[in-house]
Amino acid sequence: MSAKLIDGKAMAAEIRSEVRRDVERLKAEGREVTLAVILVGDDPASAVYVRNKKKACEDAGIRSLSYELPAATEEVKLLELVEELNGRADVDGILVQLPLPAHIDEKKILWAIAPEKDVDGFHPVNVGLLSIGEPGVVSCTPAGVMELLKRSGVEIAGKEAVVVGRSNIVGKPMANLLLAANATVTVAHSKTADLGEVCRRADIIVAAVGRPRMITADFVKEGAAVIDVGINRDADTGKLCGDVDFESVSEKCGYITPVPGGVGPMTIAMLMRNCCDLAIKRK
Ligand code: GUN
């Protein structure tokens, strides 16, 4: 491998210890940082995510309030809980784990969370603030990618950045963050006519498509920074793999993130960062 490996696990640990310091400082002022985590139903993957988030809270000294509701919970009941948490002075962040059961309108729930407690950055107010370059809450995964780039010393201003994927949670906020950092940004997606041609001009590629090993070496310019947001299961081996064909791409690019151990750990670290920042802002 000729590329420099970006160690997301180590950088996430660094961020978590920075957050821990800030949380302790707030605690010394009599202010306990608190995250409310809501899980509806019994989706096993969601249960694992929620458990990891609560563990990260504990590790950072953040108090977590856990609400585990049955799958049959009525939408209006969930709305009432969100409203109650919006009004509580001791709650800094509210996280509703997705996906929600089919009978609940996800948008209605996410849009009911007070923007100043929206730790995921999914509320349209926070999405809008990001798009006009004003401070707000930024979605954790793209915020984590920016930290990885900055802490690795990857230059962004004036560079060509290609984001592959246009989801509301990753692709779109990612493009806005890179734009705010003065990159020239292209967003590619499933209907892009010649993805290879678009990717080959990139100094920075962020792959967030959810297709195992789709980005191969022939998509990548020599020396580019390649950030892999994908978390996929290899159909043959059952092992985790990204959207980037690590083996071939790492021989050609300048920087690369592994899967696992790249972007993944950063997402939870940035969730802790966001929660602590919300507490600081509300203080
Ligand atoms: N489900 C999958 N990813 C996420 C996330 O980042 N936040 C929430 N709330 N739910 C998710």
Side-chain angles (χ1 to χ4, degrees):
M1 182 173 89
S2 60
K4 186 176 181 298
L5 190 71
I6 298 179
D7 186 348
K9 216 171 145 186
M11 281 184 204
E14 206 172 279
I15 290 166
R16 282 159 69 157
S17 79
E18 290 163 13
V19 172
R20 198 179 308 121
R21 229 180 20 235
D22 292 345
V23 167
E24 274 165 17
R25 191 166 44 76
L26 286 163
K27 204 171 272 175
E29 297 168 9
R31 188 73 174 69
E32 185 158 44
V33 180
T34 301
L35 176 65
V37 181
I38 304 173
L39 173 64
V40 185
D42 34 37
D43 176 59
S46 289
V48 173
Y49 289 135
V50 162
R51 187 164 0 106
N52 289 338
K53 288 171 186 180
K54 289 194 286 196
K55 227 165 65 193
C57 281
E58 200 176 315
D59 178 58
I62 294 174
R63 177 171 71 129
S64 68
L65 306 176
S66 186
Y67 298 87
E68 296 184 1
L69 310 178
T73 301
E74 282 177 64
E75 184 181 89
V76 63
K77 292 290 172 207
L78 186 53
L79 278 171
E80 279 169 19
L81 174 59
V82 169
E83 288 300 342
E84 179 201 323
L85 295 167
N86 282 343
R88 269 176 65 168
D90 65 327
V91 171
D92 297 296
I94 302 170
L95 184 149
V96 178
Q97 184 65 30
L98 304 179
L100 288 168
H103 68 280
I104 297 177
D105 183 351
E106 221 158 73
K107 223 157 55 179
K108 215 158 154 184
I109 304 300
L110 294 179
W111 294 16
I113 297 173
E116 64 276 12
K117 294 191 177 187
D118 169 33
V119 74
D120 269 320
F122 293 167
H123 192 284
V125 165
N126 284 314
V127 174
L129 288 169
L130 174 62
S131 82
I132 60 171
E134 292 291 331
V137 186
V138 178
S139 177
C140 303
T141 299
V145 171
M146 291 307 285
E147 283 296 320
L148 284 179
L149 290 170
K150 286 176 185 166
R151 289 174 192 241
S152 305
V154 174
E155 237 183 283
I156 302 172
K159 300 296 179 185
E160 290 277 346
V162 172
V163 179
V164 189
R166 55 176 157 179
S167 69
N168 290 333
I169 293 180
V170 181
K172 284 179 202 162
M174 191 71 248
N176 272 321
L177 286 168
L178 289 163
L179 194 57
N182 296 313
T184 300
V185 181
T186 304
V187 181
H189 48 77
S190 54
K191 298 286 192 293
T192 296
D194 190 340
L195 183 62
E197 187 199 55
V198 172
C199 286
R200 273 189 293 277
R201 63 173 184 248
D203 302 299
I204 299 167
I205 297 179
V206 179
V209 269
R211 296 261 210 104
R213 300 195 189 90
M214 184 192 178
I215 307 295
T216 49
D218 57 317
F219 282 45
V220 176
K221 181 164 84 175
E222 196 92 37
V226 181
I227 308 295
D228 192 349
V229 180
I231 302 177
N232 312 297
R233 283 266 168 222
D234 185 294
D236 301 326
T237 66
K239 283 212 269 188
L240 281 187
C241 73
D243 294 346
V244 174
D245 181 37
F246 186 90
E247 211 176 316
S248 70
V249 172
S250 61
E251 292 299 332
K252 194 173 182 187
C253 68
Y255 295 83
I256 192 164
T257 60
V259 176
V263 174
M266 291 297 281
T267 297
I268 286 195
M270 296 313 287
L271 181 70
M272 300 299 111
R273 181 73 267 166
N274 279 354
C275 190
C276 182
D277 288 347
L278 289 177
I280 293 168
K281 265 185 226 141
R282 281 177 3 98
K283 191 158 70 92

